[in-house]
Amino acid sequence: MKLTLKLVAASTVIPFACVQAQNTMQHPNVLMLVVDDWGAHDLSLTGSKLYETKNIDHLAQESTNFSQAYVAYPRSVPSRYSLITGRHCARPQTGAKTDDRKVDADSYCIAMPFKEAGYNTCIIGKWHLSDGKTMPEDKGFDLNIGAGKAGSTGTYFAPFNKPGTSNPDKLIYGMEDAQPGEYLTDYMTRKMVDYLKTPRSQPFFAICSFYAVHTPLEAKQEMINRYETKIEKLGLGEDPMKKEEAGDCKTQQDHPVYAAMIESVDEGIGKMIEALKTTGQYDHTIIVLISDHGGLSNRGNKRELATTNAPLKAGKGHLYEGGLRVPMFVHLPGQKENKTCDLPVMSFDLLPTLADLCNAPVDGKAELDGMSLKPALTGKNPPALAARDLFWHKASQRPTSTGDYVSTAIRSGRYKLLDFYQQNRIELYDLQSDPGENHNLAIEQPEITRQLMQKLNDWRKEMNVKMADPKTMNHNDNKLNPGDNANGDKKYGKKKQTLK
């Protein structure tokens, strides 16, 4: 049954809020905020001395903080596939290239149960899941602004598509109305604020999927200047890079442009929350904040790095904690206090969770791997969540880019095992006592290693995962990634581009 509401009077703010309040208990609004390449410790809340995220910190004080939140994959496309579909990206998909997964005609997506429940639906920003035919508007989204094939922008200053650019992964469509020189994060914020302030007779389900803080690393000059001064006062000096697996890893947060990009995202989130408050919708809205994977901290070449995920190990591309652990906050309607949930959870849990919280009917034929986190959010004991094992799998690697190898991993309780199956190498860690994954227990704990390897092998068989093909597993390994610059500025990599 679809939800229908009568619009009493849309011309003023107060009636707008009243309309939204009529069904707040059964059908609250949802605002999902997705940040790109944002590490678990890339915010002041978690102790960063450089990054400034006052609005996110304030939101966290009125949210449940999932302190052990994971994504299904440490790179964008497969991770976003799992987030949007509620399915594990390790499941096979016809026509898939290595680990990439695309939303196609058969995919069940996160907006669909909300559309069925009568919600107005919107996505602004990064999608990166197009198969060339299926777009967000084909999967339950009423409004699509800039969400298509693009995985990143050519530049953060409008026009976002540089003249002569032919790489479809960097061509953004639907944002041509940006003002000349307008910063991309500011543009997306403006569009989402306009959407949130639009009177409507239905509740809304909206996703703002930032292209930030993905490369190219570009920010507004006044912010960069301030962070350069701040870094000088911190007295950090040159980063003493750490050797790790196949390459080097940053050990300190010292990039002024990246810090400025984070602050722009924080400013945008603050403006969206203010829009919800001024229209009387804040107390009737679920807000979710999450990243698509860990921060860019590792390299196997001379690529520009953005941040460090320390004390977590490694970052983007790796099945270590730094690549998989992300910030994740969920604010429930009317919530005024901070809660912490230490249960290990996955990004693909959000589809069933939000549908459950909003009484949005999920198609019984949808094959979801996620579980509803509603019990954890409402303070009830969730034994099924606590007991489940979590798995990850990679059939693609980039040893000379982000320094990672193909592998499979399992987390079972306090223990995590990684199987680097092309190298005949196994690592076992006790995350309770060693969250930085520094001490390999595989030899010291042979029985636990055997048990977890059995679980891992059973899971790979059950999921029918694709194992790495040595002929094709090196993704883009013969060239630098688009936007990388091996001969850029010694400290900051490629030349900074700023708003004039």
Side-chain angles (χ1 to χ4, degrees):
M1 177 182 294
K2 293 197 174 185
L3 172 70
T4 57
L5 299 173
K6 292 183 179 180
L7 182 59
V8 178
S11 59
T12 61
V13 170
I14 295 178
F16 175 28
C18 291
V19 169
Q20 293 293 324
Q22 288 181 27
N23 281 270
T24 182
M25 294 302 293
Q26 291 296 315
H27 300 282
N29 302 314
V30 178
L31 175 61
M32 178 182 287
L33 306 164
V34 184
V35 188
D36 200 343
D37 282 22
W38 188 45
H41 295 109
D42 283 352
L43 61 168
S44 49
L45 178 69
T46 52
S48 175
K49 296 180 180 179
L50 178 61
Y51 307 137
E52 298 178 13
T53 54
K54 63 180 182 180
N55 295 300
I56 294 172
D57 295 354
H58 188 269
L59 174 64
Q61 292 306 310
E62 297 182 345
S63 302
T64 298
N65 173 18
F66 287 89
S67 63
Q68 298 189 67
Y70 290 95
V71 291
Y73 195 93
R75 291 192 186 280
S76 180
V77 173
S79 173
R80 288 170 180 270
Y81 172 86
S82 286
L83 175 67
I84 291 294
T85 65
R87 287 172 57 83
H88 203 302
C89 53
R91 290 190 179 276
Q93 185 181 41
T94 302
K97 179 182 178 183
T98 58
D99 288 342
D100 282 355
R101 297 290 181 270
K102 300 294 183 183
V103 168
D104 58 20
D106 296 327
S107 299
Y108 187 79
C109 292
I110 195 167
M112 295 168 72
F114 292 91
K115 184 68 174 174
E116 180 66 22
Y119 277 64
N120 186 269
T121 55
C122 163
I123 183 169
I124 297 175
K126 184 170 178 177
W127 176 250
H128 207 197
L129 297 171
S130 172
D131 65 351
K133 300 177 182 179
T134 307
M135 296 291 283
E137 48 267 46
D138 301 311
K139 290 297 173 180
F141 288 98
D142 297 313
L143 177 64
N144 171 11
I145 299 177
K149 182 176 177 57
S152 61
T153 181
T155 175
Y156 275 87
F157 299 101
F160 308 120
N161 294 336
K162 293 181 178 179
T165 299
S166 59
N167 182 355
D169 197 50
K170 292 186 177 294
L171 290 172
I172 300 175
Y173 300 102
M175 296 183 173
E176 291 78 13
D177 61 334
Q179 298 299 313
E182 187 173 13
Y183 192 59
L184 177 56
T185 303
D186 294 346
Y187 169 85
M188 292 177 58
T189 297
R190 176 166 62 85
K191 287 293 188 178
M192 183 54 76
V193 167
D194 288 346
Y195 176 82
L196 296 176
K197 288 185 174 181
T198 301
R200 58 180 59 85
S201 60
Q202 314 124 291
F204 66 78
F205 175 85
I207 297 178
C208 183
S209 182
F210 293 100
Y211 282 95
V213 287
H214 193 286
T215 55
L217 300 183
E218 298 176 358
K220 292 177 283 189
Q221 187 63 57
E222 62 271 21
M223 284 188 179
I224 296 173
N225 294 342
R226 182 158 49 81
Y227 280 106
E228 287 177 335
T229 300
K230 186 174 183 178
I231 289 167
E232 289 178 3
K233 291 182 178 179
L234 289 173
L236 296 177
E238 287 292 325
D239 191 326
M241 300 287 287
K242 178 183 178 181
K243 287 290 182 183
E244 202 168 78
E245 200 182 7
D248 299 315
C249 180
K250 276 185 72 64
T251 64
Q252 63 187 27
Q253 296 172 340
D254 61 4
H255 201 307
V257 183
Y258 184 76
M261 294 176 77
I262 289 176
E263 184 176 348
S264 287
V265 169
D266 182 74
E267 279 189 351
I269 291 172
K271 290 178 180 178
M272 294 176 206
I273 292 174
E274 183 61 25
L276 291 173
K277 290 181 176 179
T278 58
T279 56
Q281 299 178 96
Y282 180 73
D283 287 334
H284 315 310
T285 302
I286 298 170
I287 303 174
V288 178
L289 175 62
I290 192 171
S291 174
D292 64 347
H293 51 69
L296 176 61
S297 66
N298 292 72
R299 67 185 181 197
N301 54 31
K302 298 294 184 180
R303 74 177 300 173
E304 182 181 23
L305 298 179
T307 190
T308 179
N309 300 300
L312 302 180
K313 186 175 182 178
K316 179 178 180 177
H318 296 253
L319 294 188
Y320 292 116
E321 295 291 281
L324 297 171
R325 288 268 288 272
V326 294
M328 180 172 148
F329 305 101
V330 178
H331 165 82
L332 295 183
Q335 185 171 350
K336 301 300 181 183
E337 61 180 8
N338 169 261
K339 299 179 181 178
T340 299
C341 178
D342 295 326
L343 287 174
V345 299
M346 290 283 265
S347 54
F348 54 53
D349 293 329
L350 286 175
L351 191 163
T353 299
L354 294 172
D356 192 7
L357 289 169
C358 297
N359 295 290
V362 174
D363 190 330
K365 297 179 181 178
E367 297 179 347
L368 304 183
D369 291 304
M371 298 176 64
S372 175
L373 304 179
K374 183 177 179 179
L377 288 164
T378 55
K380 298 178 182 178
N381 183 29
L385 285 171
R388 70 173 172 171
D389 296 327
L390 303 180
F391 297 89
W392 300 269
H393 179 72
K394 291 181 51 170
S396 178
Q397 63 182 22
R398 303 186 189 185
T400 63
S401 175
T402 42
D404 55 282
Y405 293 121
V406 295
S407 50
T408 310
I410 174 177
R411 172 159 184 182
S412 183
R414 64 191 292 173
Y415 291 101
K416 180 180 173 186
L417 181 143
L418 296 93
D419 176 24
F420 294 89
Y421 56 89
Q422 282 287 337
Q423 301 174 325
N424 195 29
R425 175 162 58 96
I426 296 174
E427 297 176 8
L428 174 70
Y429 300 102
D430 180 347
L431 296 181
Q432 184 170 307
S433 62
D434 180 24
E437 297 170 295
N438 295 306
H439 184 51
N440 183 5
L441 300 172
I443 295 177
E444 298 175 33
Q445 299 281 1
E447 182 57 24
I448 294 175
T449 300
R450 185 195 66 78
Q451 292 174 1
L452 294 190
M453 273 301 303
Q454 183 63 53
K455 285 187 174 184
L456 186 149
N457 285 325
D458 290 344
W459 177 81
R460 284 193 291 213
K461 183 178 180 180
E462 177 188 349
M463 295 284 284
N464 192 28
V465 303
K466 178 181 179 181
M467 304 299 281
D469 180 347
K471 295 180 180 179
T472 60
M473 67 185 185
N474 284 6
H475 183 89
N476 274 353
D477 204 35
N478 61 340
K479 60 183 179 181
L480 293 177
N481 288 341
D484 289 345
N485 182 359
N487 300 307
D489 180 90
K490 181 178 180 182
K491 187 172 183 180
Y492 301 133
K494 66 180 290 191
K495 184 178 178 181
K496 295 176 289 185
Q497 298 191 34
T498 58
L499 179 62
K500 302 298 184 184

